[in-house]
Amino acid sequence: MNGTPRLRSAYPSTPRTTQKDGRGGTAPGPAYGPSSPSEKDAKGQAKDDSAPLIPLNILDAPSQRLSVSIFYLGLTAWRLYDYYTLVSNQTDSLWLFMKWVAIDSVFLFGLPALKIPWLEWSSGVMTVLFLAHVVSNAILMFRIPIPLEAWLVALTKTIYDRELAVSERRVKPASILHNSSLILGKQIIHILPEGSAMLNPEQSAFCIDSSKPSVDLPLRINQTNPILIELLRIDLDTNANETITISSKDAKKLKRKADKGLGKNDALAPRTLKIPVSNTGLYRLRRVVDESNLEVQRRISDTLVVRCPSASVKPVPEHKCMGQLSDFYFQVDATPPLKIRYSKTINSEPSSHVFLTIHPENLESHLTRQPSSGALVKLDMGQGTDVSWARSQPIQIPINETLGKSGIWEYSIDEVHDAYGNIARFSRQQGSTVQRPTKIGQLDQTFIVHEPPKASLKACSLEHPLRVAKGKSKTLAIDVVSRRQDSSIGNHIVYSYVPQSGTPAEEDQALVRQEDILLKAGEDGPMISDPGVYTLKSIYTDFCIGEIREPSSCMLLNPPEPDLAITSETIPDKCAGNSIGLLVDLDLIGTPPFEITYNVRRKGGSLQSRVTRVTQMRTQLELRPSDAGHYNYEFVDITDAIYGTRSLKHKNLKLEQDVRPPASARIVAQVPQRLACIQESALFGIRLGGEAPWTLEYDLLHGKKRQKFKIEGIEHPEYHISTKPLTEGGEYLLSLTSVTDDSGCKVLLEEDARIEVRHHRPEAAFGKLYGKRTVMVLESNKVKLPLKLTGDPPWTVTYRRQHESNPTILQVKMYLPNGDIEVNKPGVYEIISVGDNECPGTVDASANQFEVSSIERPTVQVVNGSGIEFIGGKLIKKAVCEGDQDSMELSFTGNPPYHVKYEIHVKPQRGPASMSRREETVGLNAASIRMETAQTGFVEYKVTELGDQLYEHNRRKFLPLSVQQTIYSRPSAAFNNIGKTYSYCKEEEAGDEVIPISLVGTPPFSIEIGIRHHATTKPEIISIPNIDARTYNFQIPHRLLALGSHAVTIRKVKDANGCQRVMEFDGPSVQVNVVDIPSISPLEAATDYCVGDRISYTLSGTPPFNVFYVFNGVERKAAASTTNFRRIAEKPGEFTITGMSDKVSTDACKARLSITKAIHELPSVRISRGRTSEVDIHEGGEADLLFEFGGTPPFEFTYTRSTNAAKGKKSIVLETKNEVSHEYSKSIKVSEEGTYEVVSIRDRYCGFSTQRVQGKSGQQLLTFR
């Protein structure tokens, strides 16, 4: 057996398929018997895989299915309980929906895991069940109403569609109305399609210039052969109109050119004619006439032909100094608003591209608007059309930036885009299509930016002068730092010379000179020989004024020639007083070190030459021979550090002696050289030896001057010598010559002290930046003010900033002669004092101030005359109505381009507020912002960020600009009870019934109301002005009311703000019925009806009603539970209403009436003898349509012309026409292609139509009289 073993409680197994043997009989299935071990294992495995999760021996399959069903019913009860809680307590619908979707998914998709027999459904079935549960959960939890009643009514209507007829029996309207034999036949006419023409269909841009004197305007034609083409041109310069006519001959030539390249299969394809024009202007296709002398349909599309954009650079000198402004203009000639892109290259580095949008002030261009049609202007043939906005205009675009880097700066124009889309490209890229003028220089501006040179002296200063022998010269070494583009030209150096004849106040102005030399590359400086002070005044090149750095002054000295003066004194024996030698005082003039040569001869001995080296200006030479005798000494020559050997023989410096302890003095804490300031004294400590009192003699030497001083009566061994003020700069020598103590023994001394007196006091002055002592910097930026210092470092400089209420004295220590002071505030900085390492100094009064100015930050303001007023401290823009166009003009100051960010805050009358951010890059000093008027409420425009070429936005320094505007909402009006039907009795027409109207807006209002009777198509219009309240009780004039139904509609409303809302087609409306009590009034005034028509009446009174009538001589009574009484005319005859009563009426007051309606048969019509015929005609030809009628003349019929649809496709109605015939047949000539069919027919009484409308009971045929 091949089936699954089942319990006794299981469902019966599926019948097994029997196998047929080869004889056509049936062979029994395999018999039960012992199986092999492998077969048992396989069967056991299959049994385990398909077995239920709960074994059947524990709970059988029906019980498991019952348990699942009970569990599902429990879930359903829980679900309905949640639905009841949701309705009563308004619980969160979304949470309950998600909860039950999750529970259903777990239950449905977890059920197959139990493997319960008959509940193991496929995944597709489970998905369908899950989606059904999701839908049911959504309906319950979101309380979605189910229109069961409407569905049942619609179903009943579909199955049982019956209406009461005049015979008081129910009939099926379709059986009466559907009569296809009333309108038969149709005629199909085929003609060639009508041609069309359009100028510049792709809206391409065109321009002309000297390189392109003409352009071809594309004219696309379709299915036509033009013989005359007229173009209207409006001159851009004069606004004059001109008509350009293309004759038949020229049109054919253009057509033949357009036909080239098209195959035989493209005979019906559109052609594009190329019409050459050579003048600028606005072109419009005026008309096109084809071969049949008929005008071809054309579409209005204006095409502008303008001057091609051109650009050039207004030339300026190419050589600039670093720090100067570029200060040049791009001259662009194009139709604004335009865009320009230019490149800037510095020292062949990768170019940077700048894109500017240029919108001239007060420009109103039609190209920035979005016309609803292809027309750019409205033609005014009487006064001319203004197209000046499309003219090409010359515009200067300033490029003004600081050239802060030396080298080659190149500016070049890349592209110019005009407002119409023409692009002039001037790129040099290989392979690109470019448009360049004949002169390259007109498109490029190159600057050669030179760095200002700097100069200072080398190896010489006032503190370290040059010493040169008289009559000799030496190079004044100048250190020049110049990074010029052409350094071989050289630099001009201006220096001055002041002779060394005294202080500046004593100078002989005739000896002062100033020289201007050209110092070429490789040269060190001029040769100088005259003693004095050489000072660098300035350095400049052909393009820049340089900077003189310290040291800038050099002193040249001619030391005196070496000379010697001697005095001698014997050296006595301490005890006997005999001479034991000579002490020779050597007084020297010149520049040490000295070498002195002298000869020594002993009587009776040989001549010996000796050399002594002296490093001071005075020394003692002790000549103490070792042997007794008579000695002769002669000084023969002298040599110093500057001059060569000089002979002394002419001075006869000879000494003689016969060779037969003392007081002392020395200088305390002696140093090799002591520094002193000019005009100050030097102080030396002296320690004396011997017995007091002492007499001290000393000399003070300077140059060739020697001053002797003697101090007597010194009682203390520690003594201080203070020199007189040292008024001249240079080296001084203090030499102790002798000392005498109380014994009266005088001892010569050899104690010297050198004093180096500064030639000048240290001096401080401001240097120059780019040739001047003023600088403009960005706000809050730091700038280093150069200092020029003379003296020995370090210097202490005191300065202040002027014009402060409480100025602060600042002090800075400098270690370089060309230092700087870093400041970050604008103002005039003044140096107060200076001092170097040793001496107080002076400040150059002509260069003690430096002015620092800050570049103004960009500003933005609203242009006057933009309809903006300053009210209550706020900028208020004139209010506009919702949807009106408005704009605001802004002006800027600073350095364009400007980067503007602004916010638009919208606070609508209803709904949450919103905010949007926008940003613009403005190339000039003016811009226009379009106002947002789409929403009513309060709109605020706030410029939040502003930057320009130099400044980024700084929120602390920028005051936001805010402009406010109110957008008035358009007023509205509505009836308080929209859709309500107001009933009026005829007897009560004298009473004033009112219809309440609610108004929204700003009073006073004016409204326009239309009142239309159901039997008429044209409404009566009533205008009501000056309504001061927001509610109005409208009274209908009696003259406008008649029996029947009226539609009262609000057509237009306007409020005090000047805003209006037009509701001509979709305005609110109410119905007004004027009836008798009780009365019956026909809904139609007609007395003749047709078979299939519904005879309808309106009843007034208290329902239910009883209506009594006679049809074809049979009296009948009909009951009406509503105020409508309607019967369908199932057959012709006479229908007369004889009376009626309502719920409260009695027989005595029952309305006695006699309203008679005649019911007529429907008319019929046949076209083309009731058949479908096809007629082919040529363009301009005609065909006859024959109509045959049945009914009572005159006949009024409607026929349509629709497209000749292909098989399987639906045709489209192109036009509908009405005709009248007083005969039983009529012929009409037609010349247009299409399918002609009669859709309605009407005779004197009745009408019939095949057009279907959507009715209450579905699709039905529309009938009319």
Side-chain angles (χ1 to χ4, degrees), residues 643-687:
Y643 297 91
T645 302
R646 293 289 190 269
S647 176
L648 298 174
K649 290 184 178 182
H650 64 283
K651 299 188 69 173
N652 195 23
L653 300 177
K654 297 180 180 180
L655 297 173
E656 294 182 5
Q657 74 163 344
D658 289 324
V659 180
R660 338 178 133 167
S664 65
R666 64 185 181 88
I667 300 173
V668 180
Q670 183 177 351
V671 294
Q673 191 176 43
R674 181 170 295 186
L675 296 177
C677 301
I678 196 168
Q679 302 293 340
E680 292 184 358
S681 299
L683 185 66
F684 295 89
I686 306 297
R687 183 179 294 277

Side-chain angles (χ1 to χ4, degrees), residues 939-957:
V939 183
E940 181 179 7
Y941 303 83
K942 183 181 293 184
V943 180
T944 57
E945 295 186 19
L946 176 64
D948 63 0
Q949 185 182 12
L950 300 179
Y951 282 100
E952 296 288 340
H953 172 72
N954 188 332
R955 60 186 180 87
R956 297 182 179 178
K957 300 295 181 66

Side-chain angles (χ1 to χ4, degrees), residues 17-29:
T17 302
T18 58
Q19 300 177 357
K20 294 184 179 183
D21 56 10
R23 297 182 299 272
T26 58

Side-chain angles (χ1 to χ4, degrees), residues 1162-1178:
L1162 295 175
S1164 62
V1165 62
R1166 294 187 303 170
I1167 187 173
S1168 298
R1169 306 292 183 183
R1171 299 185 300 273
T1172 299
S1173 63
E1174 295 188 10
V1175 179
D1176 295 330
I1177 63 174
H1178 295 287

